Amino acid sequence: MKYCSNCGSPVRSLIPPGDTLPRYVCDACTTIHYQNPKIVVGCIPEWEGKILMCRRAIEPRHGLWTLPAGFLENHETTLEGAVRETLEEAHARVEISMLYALYNVPHINQVYLLFRGQLLDLNFKPGAESLEVQLFDERQIPWEKLAFRTVRETLKVYFSDRRSGSFSFHIGDISPPQSSNKPSNELAQATRLSERI
Ligand SMILES: [Zn+2]
């Protein structure tokens, strides 16, 4: 951040009195510009043992597969956001059944919230941000062409839960890609952080 979004003056980075972290502060209008993580909301749309996925028509990860998800808007609940993203990206209507997974992605300042949702009909088609949308059963999941690690982790626990016959809420942390030279540790960490509620 270089300029104040309130008055247009240059901002400085400093630790305000009583605070513990540097903030962008505007000397002209005294506004302190706090920056906090963004929330990404999404859905696992289900239909007769299959799930609906979208192939991305936009960067990042153009051409790779993902679950319908996107940034929560102001004045919107997380559930409303998940339903909206599913409609926008896949023209798919869902009835949300449960909050299924939460992933912290602290190195990019994001928190993912993924819901399970029952597809209400099969009238889905690609939205503006999707090249194609398709139902997959577990054997068909394009594991080598997934867009995001959050999606990969979500699908891993999802199909594991389904095999066990019991779906439960999962929470985990996604670490920076630089440390992904220890994929088994990352998986162990995600597994360790999964907990039943
Ligand atoms: Zn200002």
Side-chain angles (χ1 to χ4, degrees), residues 4 6-9 26 28-31 33:
C4 176
N6 187 48
C7 75
S9 301
C26 176
C29 75
T30 71
T31 299
H33 297 276

Side-chain angles (χ1 to χ4, degrees), residues 159-174:
F159 289 113
S160 172
D161 275 4
R162 201 164 70 183
R163 283 192 295 273
S164 76
S166 171
F167 284 98
S168 56
F169 177 70
H170 296 264
I171 181 168
D173 299 342
I174 304 293

Side-chain angles (χ1 to χ4, degrees), residues 10 49 54 62 66 110 190:
C54 306
H62 182 280
T66 188
Q110 293 180 359

